Amino acid sequence: MTTITIDESALEGMESLLGDQFADTLSFCCSEFQRLGSEVHANLGSDNEAAARHAHSLKSNAAQFGAQSLSELAQTIEHALNEGNADIAQQNSASIDQQVSGSVEKLQAWFATR
């Protein structure tokens, strides 16, 4: 089972910063998690430099919105690719879809309670 960790203080900070734009930005960010996760998968093995860039973007976006476990996984993949460890990146990428969907679900549930 994949553990999904959300940092609610990061979410609260973004909500405070973005105000009325928070809901739309959170929705966009969740769709970006999905797009970037798909791009990591699509590029792994064929263009590891592009996969590392997408993992970097996913890491940063996830961290900003409190998707801590997703950010950590993306960081692991990014670092493995940057260090030439494609096998480690590939192994870790196996759980990226679960992390993305679980993080999106938890972020949306958090927002629904606001």
Side-chain angles (χ1 to χ4, degrees):
M1 171 148 190
T2 300
T3 301
I4 308 297
T5 308
I6 302 296
D7 177 2
E8 291 185 8
S9 65
L11 275 171
E12 290 165 354
M14 290 305 288
E15 184 179 37
S16 176
L17 178 70
L18 296 171
D20 292 342
Q21 298 299 312
F22 179 75
D24 289 340
T25 306
L26 180 63
S27 177
F28 173 76
C29 206
C30 287
S31 67
E32 278 295 281
F33 292 172
Q34 294 164 337
R35 183 187 72 79
L36 291 167
S38 293
E39 290 291 339
V40 169
H41 279 300
N43 287 284
L44 259 175
S46 61
D47 187 348
N48 286 342
E49 187 176 312
R53 283 194 312 272
H54 292 301
H56 175 81
S57 295
L58 180 57
K59 171 191 73 176
S60 301
N61 289 339
Q64 279 187 311
F65 279 84
Q68 185 175 349
S69 55
L70 176 58
S71 178
E72 290 169 0
L73 177 63
Q75 180 179 25
T76 299
I77 294 167
E78 175 193 12
H79 286 181
L81 289 170
N82 287 339
E83 294 170 1
N85 295 321
D87 289 343
I88 292 171
Q90 191 72 43
Q91 290 168 2
N92 281 281
S93 73
S95 61
I96 204 164
D97 292 336
Q98 290 176 319
Q99 277 293 327
V100 167
S101 62
S103 296
V104 167
E105 184 178 309
K106 283 195 172 197
L107 291 172
Q108 290 172 338
W110 178 87
F111 184 68
T113 65
R114 305 308 280 170

mmCIF file of all heavy atoms in Angstrom, residues 1 3 10 19 27 35 45 47-50 60 67 70-71 74-75 80 82 90 96-97 99 102 113-114:
data_model
loop_
_atom_site.group_PDB
_atom_site.id
_atom_site.type_symbol
_atom_site.label_atom_id
_atom_site.label_comp_id
_atom_site.label_asym_id
_atom_site.label_seq_id
_atom_site.Cartn_x
_atom_site.Cartn_y
_atom_site.Cartn_z
ATOM 1 N N MET A 1 0.838 -1.193 0.000
ATOM 2 C CA MET A 1 0.000 0.000 0.000
ATOM 3 C C MET A 1 0.873 1.243 0.000
ATOM 4 O O MET A 1 1.868 1.321 0.699
ATOM 5 C CB MET A 1 -0.917 -0.026 1.218
ATOM 6 C CG MET A 1 -1.660 1.254 1.428
ATOM 7 S SD MET A 1 -3.258 0.942 2.166
ATOM 8 C CE MET A 1 -3.930 2.555 1.997
ATOM 9 N N THR A 3 1.665 5.012 0.894
ATOM 10 C CA THR A 3 1.319 6.024 1.885
ATOM 11 C C THR A 3 1.312 7.387 1.213
ATOM 12 O O THR A 3 2.266 7.750 0.526
ATOM 13 C CB THR A 3 2.335 6.011 3.047
ATOM 14 O OG1 THR A 3 2.330 4.716 3.638
ATOM 15 C CG2 THR A 3 1.992 7.052 4.082
ATOM 16 N N ALA A 10 1.279 23.689 4.387
ATOM 17 C CA ALA A 10 1.633 24.216 3.059
ATOM 18 C C ALA A 10 0.369 24.612 2.306
ATOM 19 O O ALA A 10 0.336 25.661 1.645
ATOM 20 C CB ALA A 10 2.421 23.176 2.267
ATOM 21 N N GLY A 19 -5.760 33.445 -1.949
ATOM 22 C CA GLY A 19 -7.103 33.964 -1.695
ATOM 23 C C GLY A 19 -8.141 33.351 -2.616
ATOM 24 O O GLY A 19 -8.275 32.133 -2.705
ATOM 25 N N SER A 27 -7.047 23.204 -8.456
ATOM 26 C CA SER A 27 -7.579 22.336 -9.509
ATOM 27 C C SER A 27 -6.568 22.200 -10.651
ATOM 28 O O SER A 27 -6.306 21.093 -11.141
ATOM 29 C CB SER A 27 -8.897 22.904 -10.034
ATOM 30 O OG SER A 27 -9.384 22.124 -11.082
ATOM 31 N N ARG A 35 -0.539 15.312 -15.463
ATOM 32 C CA ARG A 35 0.192 15.495 -16.717
ATOM 33 C C ARG A 35 1.677 15.208 -16.535
ATOM 34 O O ARG A 35 2.288 14.475 -17.326
ATOM 35 C CB ARG A 35 0.001 16.926 -17.242
ATOM 36 C CG ARG A 35 0.690 17.159 -18.590
ATOM 37 C CD ARG A 35 0.633 18.618 -19.013
ATOM 38 N NE ARG A 35 1.509 19.472 -18.233
ATOM 39 C CZ ARG A 35 2.823 19.588 -18.394
ATOM 40 N NH1 ARG A 35 3.454 18.868 -19.309
ATOM 41 N NH2 ARG A 35 3.532 20.411 -17.642
ATOM 42 N N GLY A 45 13.411 6.058 -20.055
ATOM 43 C CA GLY A 45 14.001 5.052 -20.931
ATOM 44 C C GLY A 45 14.276 5.550 -22.333
ATOM 45 O O GLY A 45 15.190 5.072 -22.979
ATOM 46 N N ASP A 47 14.010 9.234 -23.149
ATOM 47 C CA ASP A 47 14.590 10.572 -23.007
ATOM 48 C C ASP A 47 14.655 10.881 -21.511
ATOM 49 O O ASP A 47 13.796 11.583 -20.966
ATOM 50 C CB ASP A 47 13.735 11.609 -23.752
ATOM 51 C CG ASP A 47 14.376 12.997 -23.778
ATOM 52 O OD1 ASP A 47 15.366 13.230 -23.039
ATOM 53 O OD2 ASP A 47 13.871 13.863 -24.520
ATOM 54 N N ASN A 48 15.662 10.342 -20.863
ATOM 55 C CA ASN A 48 15.772 10.478 -19.413
ATOM 56 C C ASN A 48 16.001 11.919 -18.970
ATOM 57 O O ASN A 48 15.626 12.293 -17.856
ATOM 58 C CB ASN A 48 16.855 9.559 -18.863
ATOM 59 C CG ASN A 48 16.415 8.116 -18.861
ATOM 60 O OD1 ASN A 48 15.224 7.814 -18.947
ATOM 61 N ND2 ASN A 48 17.370 7.208 -18.769
ATOM 62 N N GLU A 49 16.578 12.740 -19.838
ATOM 63 C CA GLU A 49 16.754 14.154 -19.498
ATOM 64 C C GLU A 49 15.394 14.833 -19.394
ATOM 65 O O GLU A 49 15.141 15.587 -18.453
ATOM 66 C CB GLU A 49 17.619 14.844 -20.559
ATOM 67 C CG GLU A 49 17.991 16.265 -20.196
ATOM 68 C CD GLU A 49 18.922 16.879 -21.231
ATOM 69 O OE1 GLU A 49 19.911 16.233 -21.603
ATOM 70 O OE2 GLU A 49 18.631 18.017 -21.645
ATOM 71 N N ALA A 50 14.502 14.558 -20.330
ATOM 72 C CA ALA A 50 13.147 15.118 -20.274
ATOM 73 C C ALA A 50 12.387 14.551 -19.074
ATOM 74 O O ALA A 50 11.673 15.286 -18.385
ATOM 75 C CB ALA A 50 12.386 14.814 -21.561
ATOM 76 N N SER A 60 8.473 20.102 -7.478
ATOM 77 C CA SER A 60 8.257 21.478 -7.027
ATOM 78 C C SER A 60 6.782 21.807 -6.859
ATOM 79 O O SER A 60 6.376 22.396 -5.846
ATOM 80 C CB SER A 60 8.890 22.460 -8.022
ATOM 81 O OG SER A 60 10.260 22.219 -8.133
ATOM 82 N N ALA A 67 1.724 18.222 -1.201
ATOM 83 C CA ALA A 67 1.707 16.797 -1.547
ATOM 84 C C ALA A 67 3.106 16.239 -1.282
ATOM 85 O O ALA A 67 3.892 15.976 -2.194
ATOM 86 C CB ALA A 67 1.273 16.599 -2.994
ATOM 87 N N LEU A 70 4.329 12.728 -2.684
ATOM 88 C CA LEU A 70 4.488 12.820 -4.139
ATOM 89 C C LEU A 70 5.749 13.596 -4.480
ATOM 90 O O LEU A 70 6.521 13.197 -5.355
ATOM 91 C CB LEU A 70 3.253 13.470 -4.771
ATOM 92 C CG LEU A 70 3.311 13.721 -6.273
ATOM 93 C CD1 LEU A 70 3.556 12.432 -7.046
ATOM 94 C CD2 LEU A 70 2.031 14.412 -6.739
ATOM 95 N N SER A 71 5.982 14.692 -3.786
ATOM 96 C CA SER A 71 7.178 15.499 -4.009
ATOM 97 C C SER A 71 8.443 14.685 -3.737
ATOM 98 O O SER A 71 9.409 14.727 -4.509
ATOM 99 C CB SER A 71 7.144 16.743 -3.122
ATOM 100 O OG SER A 71 8.312 17.512 -3.292
ATOM 101 N N ALA A 74 8.980 12.137 -6.552
ATOM 102 C CA ALA A 74 9.476 12.820 -7.756
ATOM 103 C C ALA A 74 10.939 13.215 -7.584
ATOM 104 O O ALA A 74 11.733 13.103 -8.532
ATOM 105 C CB ALA A 74 8.606 14.039 -8.061
ATOM 106 N N GLN A 75 11.306 13.635 -6.386
ATOM 107 C CA GLN A 75 12.699 13.995 -6.119
ATOM 108 C C GLN A 75 13.608 12.777 -6.253
ATOM 109 O O GLN A 75 14.695 12.860 -6.828
ATOM 110 C CB GLN A 75 12.841 14.597 -4.728
ATOM 111 C CG GLN A 75 14.265 14.987 -4.391
ATOM 112 C CD GLN A 75 14.384 15.615 -3.013
ATOM 113 O OE1 GLN A 75 13.567 15.387 -2.131
ATOM 114 N NE2 GLN A 75 15.413 16.419 -2.835
ATOM 115 N N ALA A 80 17.782 10.184 -9.238
ATOM 116 C CA ALA A 80 18.279 8.942 -9.846
ATOM 117 C C ALA A 80 18.621 9.172 -11.317
ATOM 118 O O ALA A 80 19.667 8.725 -11.796
ATOM 119 C CB ALA A 80 17.245 7.833 -9.694
ATOM 120 N N ASN A 82 19.330 12.065 -12.798
ATOM 121 C CA ASN A 82 20.466 12.975 -12.919
ATOM 122 C C ASN A 82 21.793 12.296 -12.600
ATOM 123 O O ASN A 82 22.841 12.727 -13.076
ATOM 124 C CB ASN A 82 20.267 14.200 -12.030
ATOM 125 C CG ASN A 82 19.210 15.138 -12.575
ATOM 126 O OD1 ASN A 82 18.893 15.122 -13.765
ATOM 127 N ND2 ASN A 82 18.646 15.961 -11.707
ATOM 128 N N GLN A 90 13.245 3.957 -12.665
ATOM 129 C CA GLN A 90 12.181 3.102 -13.197
ATOM 130 C C GLN A 90 11.440 2.392 -12.074
ATOM 131 O O GLN A 90 10.212 2.346 -12.068
ATOM 132 C CB GLN A 90 12.783 2.076 -14.176
ATOM 133 C CG GLN A 90 11.745 1.320 -14.968
ATOM 134 C CD GLN A 90 11.075 2.183 -16.028
ATOM 135 O OE1 GLN A 90 11.736 2.943 -16.717
ATOM 136 N NE2 GLN A 90 9.780 2.057 -16.155
ATOM 137 N N ILE A 96 4.233 6.087 -9.092
ATOM 138 C CA ILE A 96 3.901 7.495 -9.318
ATOM 139 C C ILE A 96 2.400 7.703 -9.566
ATOM 140 O O ILE A 96 1.823 8.667 -9.069
ATOM 141 C CB ILE A 96 4.779 8.117 -10.430
ATOM 142 C CG1 ILE A 96 4.851 9.627 -10.251
ATOM 143 C CG2 ILE A 96 4.282 7.763 -11.815
ATOM 144 C CD1 ILE A 96 5.965 10.270 -11.034
ATOM 145 N N ASP A 97 1.762 6.795 -10.296
ATOM 146 C CA ASP A 97 0.334 6.951 -10.555
ATOM 147 C C ASP A 97 -0.475 6.880 -9.263
ATOM 148 O O ASP A 97 -1.411 7.664 -9.070
ATOM 149 C CB ASP A 97 -0.169 5.896 -11.543
ATOM 150 C CG ASP A 97 0.384 6.100 -12.940
ATOM 151 O OD1 ASP A 97 0.769 7.239 -13.279
ATOM 152 O OD2 ASP A 97 0.438 5.108 -13.703
ATOM 153 N N GLN A 99 0.644 7.637 -6.274
ATOM 154 C CA GLN A 99 0.942 8.855 -5.522
ATOM 155 C C GLN A 99 0.151 10.040 -6.068
ATOM 156 O O GLN A 99 -0.390 10.833 -5.305
ATOM 157 C CB GLN A 99 2.441 9.168 -5.549
ATOM 158 C CG GLN A 99 3.240 8.431 -4.522
ATOM 159 C CD GLN A 99 2.927 8.861 -3.108
ATOM 160 O OE1 GLN A 99 2.606 10.015 -2.828
ATOM 161 N NE2 GLN A 99 3.027 7.924 -2.193
ATOM 162 N N GLY A 102 -3.675 9.441 -5.317
ATOM 163 C CA GLY A 102 -3.910 9.554 -3.879
ATOM 164 C C GLY A 102 -3.732 10.963 -3.371
ATOM 165 O O GLY A 102 -4.506 11.436 -2.524
ATOM 166 N N THR A 113 -13.490 20.436 2.838
ATOM 167 C CA THR A 113 -13.829 20.720 4.237
ATOM 168 C C THR A 113 -13.679 22.192 4.586
ATOM 169 O O THR A 113 -13.953 22.585 5.702
ATOM 170 C CB THR A 113 -12.951 19.885 5.203
ATOM 171 O OG1 THR A 113 -11.579 20.310 5.070
ATOM 172 C CG2 THR A 113 -13.085 18.404 4.922
ATOM 173 N N ARG A 114 -13.227 23.008 3.651
ATOM 174 C CA ARG A 114 -12.989 24.440 3.913
ATOM 175 C C ARG A 114 -14.273 25.214 3.892
ATOM 176 O O ARG A 114 -15.188 25.047 3.255
ATOM 177 C CB ARG A 114 -12.030 25.043 2.893
ATOM 178 C CG ARG A 114 -10.707 24.346 2.761
ATOM 179 C CD ARG A 114 -9.940 24.113 3.989
ATOM 180 N NE ARG A 114 -9.204 25.271 4.450
ATOM 181 C CZ ARG A 114 -8.603 25.335 5.621
ATOM 182 N NH1 ARG A 114 -8.637 24.327 6.442
ATOM 183 N NH2 ARG A 114 -7.945 26.382 5.989
#
